[in-house]
Amino acid sequence: MTTRILPAVGDADAARSLTTLLTQLPEAEPAGPVGDSTALIDTLARLATESYHELPEVVLVHERIGPVPALELIREVALRFPAVGVVLVTSDTGPGLYSAAMDSGARGLVGLPLSYEELVQRVQTAAAWATGVRRHLGHGGDVFTGPGGRVVTVSGAKGGVGTTLTAVQLALAAAASGTSAALVDLDLQSGDVASYLDVQFRRSIVDLAGIQDLSPRVLQDAVYAHETGLGLLLAPGEGERGEEVTDRAVRQILSALRSRYETVVVDCGSYLNGANAAAIEMADTTLLVTTPDVVAVRAAKRMVRLWDRLQIRKAEETVTVVNRYVRTTEIQPPLIEKITSTRVSRTVVPANFKELQPLVDAGRMQDLEAKSTVKQALWGLAGELGLVKASDAPQKSRGGRLSVTGKGDRGALGIRRRG
């Protein structure tokens, strides 16, 4: 049987050496190497959308892969694609790293410089394990094998532009359409998701930060089951404890959440740190919320450039959402798109705080009426982003409007197209 092998190597010389040796393996079908962790996850996710049978049997992860460290990358692959055998290629073959690699989900370890005999043995062992898992799946085993749920991060160009409101309504729209959805508050020092949804819960994301192996039971204990059907993972009540949430913890937590929920919306606030940078980097969709004024648009441009310099997210991969939009304002969405070099969403959110103020003060944002223009816009944005199920996606109706019908919500929600 042919063994498909996908190498993930960030170093060009190491990639050539490994590829040359892989072509000599018996019954092996090596693919071209991918150069970073993002490319590896994207490739596996694309293959998994067809079937787990399309996935390679073996993935080789080089120790100098980036930007996600090798062990964290192995953990993410093992969580999201358990029908793939992962082998670490490293110069450190000591017991400490071996134990850490096995804990992360690796099926073997190959030392550098490469040895043909050792490489053959590790690849064959990992391939046999992957084949066994797939045989089990073929007999109806209940094992998660797909690319997992979709992670959407919502960041603000600056404070006060409506980041949390946007994140909350997108998550509510997803849940109302029948999708299993979670909302994560990664504004670690000043998160307000609990205040917006009238929640008092003593557990937070900090309770998961120091746990190496997140079992479904541990995750369930930390996630608050909201009356709307949302799973809430809240920011800590004591802002200083936010420092305990590392980028590694965030990757592990989001990987565990996406294996349980179809949609995971993350409120990243407007301040960049290691934790929300990791979320933005691994997100399927990244939103940047701004208002149509000079100060906010300049802040959005600075944020996009910062993400690009840190290799977190490219400008063209970012979707900018214009909040508090007024038709008469001088700064229109096309100009914002040009200034930030991002893609501006077709849906804009109108300025109408009078609709929101009573519910913001009461902490009952889930009670926002269906006729609210702000809710119509944000739920329409959820449809544009594909966060609602197909039957609930915005559809053209009479009068040139888009409508969204959510389960458990009264009536149709409409939003006018931007002219």
Side-chain angles (χ1 to χ4, degrees), residues 7-22 31-35 62 64 114:
V9 187
D11 181 83
D13 293 335
R16 284 192 295 269
S17 175
L18 182 58
T19 302
T20 301
L21 201 54
L22 287 175
V34 293
H62 192 270
R64 290 199 295 272
L114 292 170

Side-chain angles (χ1 to χ4, degrees), residues 213-228:
D213 186 15
L214 285 180
S215 66
R217 177 61 182 273
V218 171
L219 187 66
Q220 182 180 354
D221 288 343
V223 173
Y224 178 83
H226 194 255
E227 63 187 57
T228 58

Side-chain angles (χ1 to χ4, degrees), residues 292-360:
D293 58 83
V294 172
V295 175
V297 174
R298 284 178 177 171
K301 183 178 180 179
R302 286 198 305 270
M303 184 69 77
V304 169
R305 288 184 172 180
L306 176 61
W307 290 352
D308 186 64
R309 289 196 303 271
L310 298 179
Q311 298 183 351
I312 297 171
R313 179 71 54 161
K314 295 179 180 178
E316 58 268 25
E317 298 173 345
T318 302
V319 179
T320 298
V321 178
V322 181
N323 188 25
R324 300 179 196 147
Y325 172 75
V326 180
R327 288 184 179 273
T328 57
T329 185
E330 293 184 8
I331 301 179
Q332 292 292 313
L335 179 59
I336 296 175
E337 189 169 77
K338 182 177 180 181
I339 292 173
T340 61
S341 300
T342 63
R343 179 175 70 84
V344 173
S345 63
R346 298 192 308 273
T347 305
V348 292
V349 185
N352 198 338
F353 188 69
K354 289 183 179 179
E355 296 178 352
L356 304 175
Q357 187 169 5
L359 297 174
V360 171

